[in-house]
C-alpha cells in the first residue's frame, strides 16, 4: 500500500540542526501512488515542485484540486497530507532552531564545545590510556589522565558535553538511567499532579544540572526534554495547517491523520511525539489527544493546538546564559511548566487575564511571580542576552575557531540567526514561531525570513565529518574503533611536535592541531615554557 | 514489568549471575559480567536451546528488557554514524529489529576477508559460541554492561553458521 511505503520512507526523513540539512530519502516521492501524484499535478499545476511550493496553501481555494482530493480514497488523502505535512514538520524544526533563543543556546554551546575539543582531542591522541577511556566521553572520569594540559581543559568541556547529554542532545539521544536523580536542587521532589491535569509526574535532575520531569511509574529512561518541545511544535503545526486547508472538515481529517501517522506507530515512536499533546488535551478535560479529536469539536481542537503552540514557543525562549547568570534561565522545561500552568488557568477560568493575543498573554506571564520563581526571564531580558551572545560569538568565531571550514559554517549560521534577534521587538509575537495557520512559511515577510528556508547551502564536508563522529564519540558506550581515531586525527589535522629544550635533559613532544597559530610547549624535565609560532616553523 | 514474565526475568538473571533467583524484582540490577562468565553463559544458553533460533530471539528480547530495566537505553550501544537528527528515525527495537541492526554492524566489521569471522572459519572455530562472542565483543568494543545482550546475539549467529550469517547479511547484488 502506497501510504505504508510513504510512512516507511518517511522514517529516513529528518532534520539535522547542526548541519542545517534536511534529509530527503529518494523513496519518499517514489512511493507516492499515481492518484496522489495526480493530485499534486492538479494542485500545483506542474510535475516538479519545490518544497516551498509543496507547503503552499493556494490550492485550498481551487475547487478542482479540493474536489479531486475529496474524491480520493481515504488512504490516498492521508498519503497526500502526510507528504505535504512532512515538509511543514521539518521546516518547523529548521526555523525553530534558527530563530529561537534556545536554538541560539544550542549553536553557541556547539561552537564552545568545538573550541575546547580542537585543543583537547589532538592532545589525547598520543595517550593510549586516555584514548582507551574516550569511549562514551560523557562518562570520562575526572582523574582519567594526569596530564596537566588535558586536566585543565576537561572541567569546562565536561560541563558543555554533559549539558548536551542532559538535553538528549536536543534530539533522540537517551542518557543512561544512572544519570537521572529524583528531585531538583532546591529540594523539590516527590510524585504528584504537577501539571494539574491528572497525570502523576516526578521532578528529576539529569547529570546534576538539568531539571525536568518524567511520568511516574512509566519508562524510567524517558523524560520531558527539548526534543519533546520541538516534536510537539512540529506536529501541532501540521495539524493546524490541515485545519487551515480544510476548514470545517479539518477536525475529522486531523483525526484520521493523527491516528494513522502517529497513533498506529506509537510503539515505534518515542513518547516525545505524544506526551504534550495528551497533556494539552487534558486542559479541556479530554483523556488524551485522541479523545479530544474524537469529540470532533473544531473550536476546542484549534484552541488546544494554539495553546500548545504558544506554550512550546514560550519554552523555546530559554536563552544562552551569560557569565555569572543562573544556568536555569536556559532551561526550556522550566519555562514550559510555568506556561502550561498559566494557560491551564486561563482555559479553566481559574486565572483572570485580559488579553487580545497570545503574545499579550505571555507578556502578562513574564511579569508573574511564578515565572520568576522558575527562572523564566521576561522577553526583553532574553533578547538582550541573545544579542550579546550572538555578537560575541560572531567575533569569537573569527578569532578562536581554527578549522577554516568550521569557522565558515558557524559564520553562516550566525549570519542567518542574527537579524531575528537584532530586529525583534521585545514581544512573543512571531508569525514564524507560532503561526496560527500552522505553516511557518506562510509567515515569511522579509528577506531574512525567506533566507531561513533556503536549502541551497552546502555544509562543508569537514564539518559533517566532525559531526558524524561526535555523537558516537560522546554518547555511545561502544568503544570507538581505530577508524574513528584516524578520522579525529585527520579532522583536527593533528601532528606530533618534538621540542628540544635548552636545558638539554631530553625531548618533549606534544600532539597539536595544524590549524593552531601558536604552540605552547612545556619542557617535561625543567618545566620551562616556550611558544612556537606556526608561520616560523617548517613542516616536513 | 509487563513485557516480561517475572519468572522468566528472574531466570534470565540467574543464567548470567549464578544467583539463586531470590532477588526481589524491584531492587536488583544485573551484575556486570566478566568475559569468562559471558562465555560460560553463552555456552550454557546454546546447549540449552540447541538449534532453536526462535528461543534465542526470545532470550535476546529478555536481555534487551533487562538491559533497559538496568537503566541502559538501547541507543547507547547502537552506533549512529551521524550527527543526531530530529525525525521519525528512532524506533524502539524488538529482538529481531535489534538483531537486524547489529547484524549489519557485525557483518561490516567481522565478515570481511580478513575479518575475525573469516579467521574463525579458517581455523575451524566457527561453531564455538565462545570464540564468536569474543570476536564480536573485542572487535566492536562492546562494554561489559552490554555483554548480556550480546550473548544471545552470538548464539543466534553460531546457530545460523558463520558462513551463512556473513552471506545472508551480505548486501544484495
Amino acid at each position: 500500500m502506497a501510504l505504508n511505503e510513504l510512512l516507511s520512507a518517511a522514517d529516513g526523513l529528518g532534520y539535522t540542526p547542526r548541519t542545517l540539512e534536511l534529509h530527503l530519502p529518494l523513496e519518499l516521492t517514489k512511493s507516492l501512488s499515481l492518484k496522489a501524484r495526480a493530485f499534486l499535478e492538479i494542485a500545483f499545476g506542474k510535475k516538479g515542485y519545490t518544497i516551498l511550493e509543496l507547503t503552499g496553501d493556494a490550492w485550498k481555494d481551487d475547487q478542482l484540486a479540493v474536489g479531486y482530493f475529496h474524491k480520493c480514497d481515504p488512504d490516498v488523502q492521508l498519503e497526500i497530507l502526510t507528504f505535504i505535512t512532512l515538509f511543514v514538520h521539518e521546516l518547523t524544526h529548521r526555523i525553530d532552531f534558527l530563530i529561537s533563543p534556545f536554538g541560539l543556546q544550542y549553536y553557541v554551546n556547539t561552537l564552545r564545545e568545538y573550541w575546547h575539543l580542537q585543543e583537547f582531542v589532538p592532545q589525547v591522541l598520543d595517550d593510549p590510556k586516555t584514548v582507551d577511556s574516550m569511549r562514551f566521553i560523557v562518562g570520562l572520569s575526572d582523574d582519567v589522565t594526569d596530564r596537566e594540559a588535558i586536566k585543565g581543559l576537561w572541567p569546562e568541556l565536561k560541563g558543555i558535553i554533559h549539558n548536551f547529554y542532559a538535553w538528549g542532545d536536543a534530539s533522540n539521544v537517551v542518557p543512561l538511567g544512572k544519570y537521572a536523580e529524583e528531585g531538583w536542587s532546591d529540594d523539590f521532589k516527590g510524585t504528584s499532579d504537577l501539571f494539574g491535569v491528572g497525570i502523576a509526574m516526578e521532578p528529576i535532575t539529569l547529570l546534576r544540572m538539568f531539571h525536568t520531569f518524567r511520568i511516574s511509574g512509566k519508562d524510567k529512561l524517558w523524560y520531558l526534554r527539548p526534543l519533546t518541545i520541538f516534536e510537539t511544535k512540529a506536529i501541532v503545526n501540521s495539524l493546524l495547517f490541515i485545519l487551515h486547508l480544510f476548514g470545517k472538515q479539518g477536525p475529522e481529517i486531523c483525526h484520521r491523520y493523527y491516528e494513522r501517522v502517529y497513533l498506529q506507530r506509537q510503539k515505534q515512536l518515542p513518547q516525545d511525539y505524544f506526551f504534550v499533546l495528551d497533556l494539552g488535551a487534558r486542559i479541556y478535560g479530554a483523556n488524551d489527544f485522541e479523545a479530544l479529536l474524537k469529540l470532533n469539536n473544531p473550536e476546542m481542537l484549534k484552541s488546544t493546538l494554539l495553546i500548545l503552540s504558544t506554550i512550546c514557543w514560550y519554552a523555546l525562549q530559554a536563552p544562552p546564559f551569560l557569565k555569572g547568570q543562573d544556568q536555569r534561565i536556559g532551561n526550556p522545561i522550566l519555562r514550559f511548566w510555568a506556561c502550561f500552568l498559566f494557560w491551564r488557568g486561563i482555559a479553566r477560568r481559574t486565572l483572570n487575564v485580559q488579553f487580545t493575543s497570545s503574545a499579550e498573554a505571555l507578556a502578562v506571564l513574564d511579569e508573574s511571580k511564578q515565572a520568576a520563581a522558575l527562572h523564566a526571564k521576561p522577553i526583553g531580558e532574553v533578547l538582550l542576552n541573545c544579542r550579546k551572545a550572538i555578537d560575541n560569538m560572531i567575533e569569537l568565531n573569527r578569532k578562536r575557531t581554527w578549522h577554516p571550514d568550521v569557522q565558515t559554517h558557524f559564520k553562516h549560521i550566525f549570519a542567518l540567526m542574527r537579524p531575528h534577534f537584532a530586529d525583534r521587538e521585545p514581544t512573543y509575537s512571531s508569525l514564524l514561531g507560532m503561526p496560527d495557520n500552522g505553516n511557518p512559511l506562510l509567515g515569511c515577510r522579509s528577506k531574512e525570513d525567506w533566507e531561513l528556508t533556503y536549502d541551497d547551502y552546502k555544509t562543508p564536508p569537514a564539518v559533517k565529518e566532525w559531526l558524524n563522529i561526535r555523537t558516537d564519540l560522546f554518547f555511545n558506550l561502544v568503544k570507538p574503533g581505530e577508524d574513528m581515531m584516524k578520522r579525529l586525527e585527520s579532522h583536527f589535522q593533528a601532528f606530533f611536535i618534538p621540542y628540544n629544550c635548552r636545558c638539554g635533559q631530553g625531548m618533549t613532544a606534544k600532539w597539536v592541531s595544524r590549524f593552531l597559530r601558536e604552540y605552547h610547549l612545556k619542557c617535561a624535565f625543567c618545566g620551562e615554557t616556550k611558544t612556537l609560532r606556526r608561520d616560523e616553523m617548517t613542516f616536513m | 514489568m509487563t513485557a516480561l514474565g517475572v519468572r522468566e526475568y528472574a531466570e534470565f538473571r540467574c543464567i548470567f549471575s549464578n544467583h539463586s533467583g531470590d532477588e526481589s524484582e524491584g531492587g536488583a540490577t544485573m551484575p556486570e559480567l566478566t568475559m569468562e562468565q559471558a562465555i560460560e553463559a553463552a555456552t550454557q544458553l546454546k546447549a540449552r536451546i540447541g538449534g532453536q533460533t526462535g528461543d534465542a530471539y526470545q532470550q535476546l528480547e529478555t536481555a534487551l528488557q533487562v538491559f533497559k530495566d538496568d537503566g541502559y537505553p538501547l541507543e547507547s550501544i547502537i552506533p549512529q554514524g551521524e550527527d543526531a537528527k530530529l525525525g521519525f528515525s528512532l524506533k524502539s527495537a524488538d529482538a529481531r529489529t535489534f538483531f537486524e541492526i547489529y547484524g549489519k554492524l557485525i557483518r561490516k566489521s567481522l565478515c570481511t576477508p580478513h575479518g575475525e569471522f573469516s579467521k574463525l572459519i579458517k581455523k575451524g572455530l566457527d561453531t564455538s559460541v565462545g570464540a564468536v562472542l569474543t570476536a564480536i565483543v573485542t572487535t566492536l568494543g562492546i562494554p561489559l554492561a552490554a555483554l548480556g545482550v550480546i550473548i544471545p546475539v552470538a548464539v543466534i549467529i553460531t546457530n545460523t553458521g558463520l558462513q551463512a550469517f556473513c552471506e545472508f547479511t551480505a548486501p544484495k547484488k
Side-chain angles (χ1 to χ4, degrees):
Chain A
M1 202 166 79
L3 180 58
N4 286 338
E5 280 176 35
L6 179 67
L7 286 171
S8 173
D11 288 344
L13 183 77
Y15 178 65
T16 313
R18 289 193 180 89
T19 60
L20 306 174
E21 282 180 321
L22 180 63
H23 303 270
L24 289 173
L26 281 174
E27 299 78 35
L28 204 62
T29 41
K30 279 187 189 165
S31 61
L32 282 178
S33 68
L34 206 61
K35 285 181 180 172
R37 284 164 194 261
F39 168 80
L40 295 176
E41 205 173 324
I42 293 167
F44 302 106
K46 53 182 181 175
K47 279 187 179 163
Y49 356 83
T50 63
I51 293 175
L52 297 186
E53 284 166 336
L54 276 173
T55 49
D57 67 345
W59 65 269
K60 80 182 177 69
D61 300 316
D62 176 348
Q63 285 188 353
L64 187 64
V66 175
Y68 181 88
F69 179 89
H70 287 298
K71 277 183 192 159
C72 286
D73 294 341
D75 266 10
V76 176
Q77 292 179 354
L78 290 183
E79 204 189 318
I80 294 164
L81 290 177
T82 303
F83 186 68
I84 288 171
T85 53
L86 282 175
F87 298 109
V88 172
H89 186 115
E90 301 306 332
L91 280 163
T92 298
H93 289 329
R94 183 184 169 95
I95 288 170
D96 283 343
F97 270 96
L98 288 173
I99 68 167
S100 73
F102 180 79
L104 177 61
Q105 191 183 170
Y106 174 86
Y107 290 114
V108 163
N109 284 353
T110 302
L111 186 55
R112 285 178 58 224
E113 173 196 282
Y114 187 83
W115 290 336
H116 286 85
L117 285 160
Q118 68 187 0
E119 289 190 58
F120 184 84
V121 174
Q123 295 188 59
V124 296
L125 289 176
D126 73 329
D127 179 359
K129 187 180 155 206
T130 313
V131 168
D132 198 47
S133 315
M134 266 174 69
R135 163 212 306 263
F136 189 52
I137 203 168
V138 76
L140 202 62
S141 66
D142 292 335
D143 57 357
V144 76
T145 177
D146 299 330
R147 294 171 59 170
E148 285 304 317
I150 302 174
K151 277 187 106 155
L153 287 168
W154 181 236
E156 203 175 335
L157 179 58
K158 184 173 86 172
I160 300 169
I161 294 177
H162 279 199
N163 192 46
F164 272 127
Y165 193 50
W167 283 352
D169 208 23
S171 63
N172 45 32
V173 168
V174 185
L176 303 189
K178 68 179 177 184
Y179 292 124
E181 289 173 289
E182 286 174 23
W184 288 358
S185 57
D186 49 6
D187 220 25
F188 171 57
K189 60 172 108 173
T191 300
S192 58
D193 182 12
L194 294 168
F195 287 81
V197 288
I199 295 179
M201 301 285 288
E202 57 176 328
I204 56 163
T205 302
L206 268 291
L207 288 116
R208 304 194 169 170
M209 60 167 65
F210 183 64
H211 293 341
T212 181
F213 305 94
R214 69 180 167 201
I215 309 169
S216 180
K218 276 208 169 181
D219 179 359
K220 288 273 180 192
L221 293 176
W222 184 83
Y223 60 97
L224 207 50
R225 50 190 179 157
L227 177 72
T228 324
I229 294 167
F230 284 112
E231 292 300 357
T232 302
K233 208 161 168 296
I235 298 173
V236 162
N237 270 355
S238 299
L239 292 167
L240 279 171
F241 189 50
I242 294 175
L243 287 181
H244 170 69
L245 291 172
F246 294 101
K248 282 180 187 169
Q249 289 156 306
E252 187 269 327
I253 298 175
C254 280
H255 184 195
R256 282 196 284 128
Y257 168 88
Y258 181 71
E259 191 176 11
R260 185 66 188 85
V261 179
Y262 293 98
L263 278 182
Q264 284 190 16
R265 304 195 305 157
Q266 194 160 16
K267 276 190 183 169
Q268 297 165 292
L269 293 167
Q271 272 278 37
D272 307 276
Y273 289 86
F274 307 95
F275 176 72
V276 173
L277 289 170
D278 289 342
L279 203 67
R282 283 175 167 253
I283 289 178
Y284 286 119
N287 203 35
D288 54 28
F289 193 66
E290 189 190 14
L292 177 77
L293 286 164
K294 278 182 180 165
L295 292 176
N296 204 16
N297 181 331
E299 287 77 25
M300 200 182 273
L301 176 61
K302 184 151 189 185
S303 172
T304 305
L305 292 173
L306 288 175
I307 286 174
L308 289 178
S309 169
T310 307
I311 294 171
C312 290
W313 178 237
Y314 187 82
L316 292 182
Q317 308 308 301
F321 51 92
L322 305 178
K323 237 179 199 169
Q325 287 181 327
D326 190 316
Q327 88 174 63
R328 284 174 291 188
I329 71 167
N331 184 335
I333 304 302
L334 298 183
R335 295 182 70 95
F336 176 87
W337 190 32
C339 199
F340 187 90
L341 293 177
F342 176 73
W343 279 101
R344 175 189 161 276
I346 293 172
R348 293 188 176 183
R349 297 176 201 276
T350 55
L351 205 61
N352 185 20
V353 178
Q354 303 296 319
F355 58 89
T356 56
S357 69
S358 48
E360 229 177 87
L362 293 180
V364 175
L365 172 61
D366 263 358
E367 300 303 318
S368 69
K369 283 181 190 165
Q370 287 82 352
L374 288 171
H375 307 274
K377 290 273 174 205
I379 192 62
E381 285 183 45
V382 166
L383 292 175
L384 209 63
N385 260 27
C386 291
R387 285 178 198 131
K388 277 186 194 165
I390 200 164
D391 287 340
N392 201 23
M393 291 307 283
I394 288 169
E395 179 64 14
L396 287 175
N397 181 40
R398 207 170 47 78
K399 289 183 185 163
R400 287 190 64 177
T401 313
W402 299 341
H403 199 302
D405 290 348
V406 177
Q407 191 184 94
T408 307
H409 182 64
F410 280 94
K411 187 180 168 190
H412 174 72
I413 290 177
F414 291 133
L416 284 176
M417 296 181 88
R418 195 180 178 281
H420 298 278
F421 296 101
D423 304 337
R424 184 171 154 188
E425 295 288 325
T427 77
Y428 288 96
S429 175
S430 174
L431 293 173
L432 302 177
M434 41 178 186
D436 284 354
N437 53 36
N439 189 341
L441 281 104
L442 299 179
C444 288
R445 294 288 180 271
S446 65
K447 180 174 145 280
E448 287 78 14
D449 290 349
W450 283 112
E451 274 173 2
L452 296 171
T453 67
Y454 295 162
D455 203 25
D456 55 353
Y457 172 72
K458 293 271 173 276
T459 313
V463 174
K464 280 207 259 190
E465 171 70 358
W466 159 244
L467 294 172
N468 287 345
I469 298 171
R470 183 188 169 278
T471 312
D472 287 335
L473 184 63
F474 290 179
F475 309 131
N476 201 291
L477 289 169
V478 174
K479 193 175 165 184
E482 265 179 42
D483 67 315
M484 186 183 278
M485 291 302 147
K486 283 183 189 153
R487 285 160 72 191
L488 282 172
E489 201 177 313
S490 157
H491 174 80
F492 289 103
Q493 296 273 300
F495 72 100
F496 210 49
I497 184 165
Y499 164 60
N500 253 327
C501 181
R502 63 181 175 176
C503 74
Q505 295 182 70
M507 187 187 283
T508 305
K510 183 181 178 182
W511 278 97
V512 292
S513 167
R514 197 172 290 262
F515 297 117
L516 197 56
R517 293 183 190 104
E518 286 183 346
Y519 306 113
H520 303 285
L521 303 164
K522 187 178 177 182
C523 174
F525 301 95
C526 71
E528 190 179 295
T529 54
K530 169 94 175 165
T531 300
L532 300 176
R533 290 182 56 79
R534 186 179 59 190
D535 48 16
E536 292 167 359
M537 294 170 69
T538 309
F539 290 94
M540 308 291 284
Chain B
M1 194 159 36
T2 51
L4 190 68
V6 173
R7 198 178 143 270
E8 277 177 287
Y9 185 78
E11 271 178 8
F12 186 80
R13 285 176 180 277
C14 286
I15 289 174
F16 299 128
S17 62
N18 290 329
H19 285 183
S20 59
D22 58 358
E23 289 168 324
S24 64
E25 190 199 329
T29 55
M30 188 164 70
E32 253 179 30
L33 295 174
T34 62
M35 200 55 208
E36 288 76 27
Q37 287 171 321
I39 291 170
E40 196 190 320
T43 311
Q44 279 178 27
L45 181 63
K46 187 170 183 287
R48 192 158 61 82
I49 65 166
Q52 300 299 313
T53 307
D55 288 355
Y57 275 112
Q58 216 165 7
Q59 287 294 332
L60 177 57
E61 193 83 58
T62 310
L64 291 172
Q65 189 62 46
V66 170
F67 188 66
K68 277 160 73 177
D69 287 348
D70 283 347
Y72 292 98
L74 292 186
E75 296 80 359
S76 68
I77 51 167
I78 301 176
Q80 305 295 311
E82 59 180 16
D83 190 24
K85 66 180 180 190
L86 292 89
F88 283 141
S89 54
L90 186 70
K91 298 281 168 68
S92 64
D94 59 12
R96 287 189 189 268
T97 315
F98 181 83
F99 185 77
E100 210 175 288
I101 294 167
Y102 248 75
K104 278 183 195 160
L105 207 66
I106 291 168
R107 190 198 154 271
K108 195 176 150 196
S109 305
L110 286 91
C111 288
T112 56
H114 300 291
E116 289 303 309
F117 278 2
S118 307
K119 286 180 193 166
L120 290 183
I121 293 168
K122 277 179 200 157
K123 287 179 188 166
L125 288 171
D126 49 328
T127 54
S128 160
V129 71
V132 170
L133 179 72
T134 308
I136 297 171
V137 171
T138 50
T139 308
L140 294 184
I142 305 291
L144 292 180
L147 283 183
V149 173
I150 302 303
I151 289 167
V153 170
V155 172
I156 294 169
I157 292 174
T158 315
N159 279 355
T160 308
L162 289 198
Q163 189 89 46
F165 169 77
C166 287
E167 281 167 14
F168 280 158
T169 51
K172 284 179 187 130
K173 286 179 185 167

